[in-house]
Amino acid sequence: MKNNVLFSILGLLLFSCNTEKEQKSQIELSYTIDTVWIDSKDLLLTVDLGLRTMTLDPPERYLYFYNAGEKRMDKIDLDSYELDRSIQFAADGPNGIGSLSLYDVHVTDQEEFYISSSDGIRKMDSSGNRIEFLNWDVEDFVSKNIPTNTIASFSGDYDSKGNFFAGVYGKSRGGRSSGEGLVLIDLLKRSSKTLEVPLLKSLESYEIVLEGEINTTNGDEFYLNLVDDRVLISISPVNAIAIYDLKTDSLYQKSYSSDLLPAEKPGNFPRKVNSLEAMEMAVKTKYYEPTFGKFTYDPVSNTFFRFTYYQNFSAEGSEERSVVLSVFDQELNLIYELDNAPHFTGNIFFKDGKLHKGINQNDELGFTVMEFKF
């Protein structure tokens, strides 16, 4: 199926950390939507889990898809959309990948893998052998710089060679629901530094807590990406992004607001409740407010794309999910917004200027592909 749409927009208001200006430029954007299917060559892919942990190689030709049950990494050629080969890992032993659930997977330009779970990070080679095991808690060059009463995440992002790690530190480890600041680790120099990120810490302000003997918390999430020489952090309840520039050693924030999207969730929901029913109602109210997605970089057009979601009522009284697509230039200035955009959720990525969203149809892996033209 292909749909062709042409839109233009004038005069978006841009808000940054210290400026407010009106940009008067006209941008036209067209896109097509299609579906492609992966030829797995009769190999069974664990589609749902694989979609959460899949990762691109730095040249962005191959997609690596993890099969947790088989401890197997499947390498998919994105030029031909077919299985290229598989890498088998051992569960235990000196080369073992471990038996715990994975947080995330990253691959270097030398086809070496950083695989994180709750006990640490395993660096594996392209033959399935373990190269190194990393645990920030016992690495003095990391642990000595972590603020008191916090821990460093094993989940994060790496440069293309796997020599530099960017993650977060906070009171808990795992997931993307909390943090206080950045932890930056140079694995070659064996050095690290931390810095507080107010935007990341503000996640606490949007939590809903069911108070009891053991508190239950509903929180939002953060997104972290290392793009060239910048670490980007955004959070789902706020229309903003924090940028750490590695070259200038500076942290700054850009905040946005427009006719289509507010500066943040209005926050018209209780933060503390004392019953399960009240918790469900508070969470439902929260989901009627905008949830800002992650910034996804397209190296072809040098732009970032972000999808924002919120629930609303239709004229007939039924509930509908609305989507706003926001486009930002290379300096993270807002340059375009589109209402009623396609639904692109989850672990999305660009390949050759085409945005890919994984789909599972009867345990078959496919992608909805959105191609843009400015």
Side-chain angles (χ1 to χ4, degrees):
M1 175 186 69
K2 288 181 180 263
N3 297 314
N4 293 285
V5 188
L6 182 66
F7 300 94
S8 66
I9 191 165
L10 284 169
L12 284 172
L13 289 177
L14 304 186
F15 294 80
S16 69
C17 53
N18 56 5
T19 64
E20 177 179 331
K21 63 181 181 179
E22 184 177 354
Q23 178 173 323
K24 294 188 176 180
S25 62
Q26 182 170 343
I27 295 173
E28 294 182 346
L29 177 67
S30 65
Y31 66 81
T32 60
I33 294 182
D34 207 348
T35 303
V36 297
W37 296 99
I38 300 301
D39 179 3
S40 63
K41 299 182 179 179
D42 297 324
L43 190 68
L44 181 63
L45 304 177
T46 52
V47 178
D48 283 342
L49 178 61
L51 289 174
R52 293 195 298 273
T53 58
M54 65 184 182
T55 187
L56 282 175
D57 68 337
E60 299 181 343
R61 179 184 174 184
Y62 294 102
L63 180 75
Y64 291 86
F65 211 76
Y66 184 64
N67 185 314
E70 301 293 332
K71 308 294 183 187
R72 187 187 73 224
M73 189 73 72
D74 298 319
K75 182 179 180 182
I76 297 170
D77 189 328
L78 290 176
D79 288 335
S80 60
Y81 291 109
E82 64 180 18
L83 182 70
D84 180 80
R85 73 183 185 95
S86 295
I87 302 168
Q88 186 64 56
F89 298 116
D92 303 304
N95 284 326
I97 198 174
S99 58
L100 300 175
S101 298
L102 303 188
Y103 289 159
D104 52 30
V105 177
H106 295 273
V107 61
T108 72
D109 56 10
Q110 298 299 310
E111 202 175 26
E112 295 173 338
F113 301 93
Y114 285 95
I115 300 175
S116 66
S117 56
S118 60
D119 65 339
I121 302 168
R122 290 165 176 83
K123 184 178 180 181
M124 314 292 288
D125 67 18
S126 58
S127 298
N129 300 310
R130 185 195 295 184
I131 301 172
E132 188 179 12
F133 179 78
L134 298 167
N135 182 336
W136 309 138
D137 297 340
V138 299
E139 299 286 354
D140 290 342
F141 70 96
V142 177
S143 59
K144 69 180 181 181
N145 292 323
I146 303 302
T148 305
N149 298 322
T150 66
I151 54 178
S153 64
F154 296 140
S155 178
D157 203 359
Y158 298 80
D159 66 357
S160 62
K161 295 187 178 302
N163 295 331
F164 181 82
F165 170 86
V168 304
Y169 68 85
K171 293 182 173 60
S172 62
R173 174 178 288 149
R176 298 198 308 262
S177 61
S178 66
E180 296 183 12
L182 277 175
V183 55
L184 307 169
I185 302 173
D186 189 318
L187 294 168
L188 285 183
K189 296 180 180 178
R190 294 183 67 80
S191 63
S192 69
K193 66 177 295 182
T194 61
L195 66 157
E196 187 173 309
V197 180
L199 179 65
L200 180 61
K201 192 172 176 58
S202 70
L203 272 172
E204 297 176 349
S205 304
Y206 301 89
E207 291 180 346
I208 302 173
V209 179
L210 172 57
E211 297 179 312
E213 293 184 6
I214 299 178
N215 288 348
T216 302
T217 302
N218 171 273
D220 290 87
E221 59 182 346
F222 69 84
Y223 312 100
L224 185 152
N225 298 91
L226 177 60
V227 179
D228 297 327
D229 294 312
R230 294 179 295 179
V231 182
L232 310 177
I233 292 183
S234 60
I235 62 176
S236 59
V238 178
N239 193 359
I241 188 166
I243 304 162
Y244 175 68
D245 191 315
L246 296 170
K247 286 185 174 180
T248 61
D249 187 24
S250 59
L251 175 71
Y252 58 100
Q253 179 175 317
K254 285 181 175 285
S255 300
Y256 314 97
S257 182
S258 68
D259 291 338
L260 295 181
L261 294 172
E264 62 180 335
K265 285 182 182 288
N268 297 322
F269 49 86
R271 302 304 195 268
K272 294 183 179 181
V273 295
N274 53 23
S275 70
L276 184 59
E277 292 76 14
M279 180 73 158
E280 292 175 348
M281 182 60 67
V283 171
K284 183 176 181 180
T285 302
K286 186 179 185 180
Y287 287 161
Y288 282 100
E289 300 184 353
T291 297
F292 303 95
K294 70 175 183 177
F295 287 72
T296 303
Y297 184 57
D298 174 24
V300 173
S301 62
N302 292 321
T303 53
F304 292 85
F305 286 67
R306 187 195 65 190
F307 293 87
T308 300
Y309 310 87
Y310 59 93
Q311 300 277 37
N312 58 16
F313 287 103
S314 68
E316 295 77 22
S318 60
E319 296 181 6
E320 295 179 343
R321 194 180 197 191
S322 293
V323 182
V324 175
L325 167 62
S326 303
V327 183
F328 306 80
D329 66 18
Q330 195 166 22
E331 298 305 316
L332 279 304
N333 297 310
L334 177 64
I335 59 174
Y336 180 85
E337 282 196 327
L338 167 66
D339 202 0
N340 299 316
H343 290 209
F344 264 62
T345 59
N347 192 4
I348 59 178
F349 63 89
F350 274 97
K351 158 66 174 163
D352 295 336
K354 301 175 182 178
L355 186 61
H356 288 61
K357 180 189 78 168
I359 51 178
N360 180 2
Q361 182 170 302
N362 300 323
D363 293 325
E364 294 292 327
L365 174 63
F367 289 94
T368 300
V369 180
M370 194 173 184
E371 183 173 5
F372 301 89
K373 292 183 180 179
F374 286 93

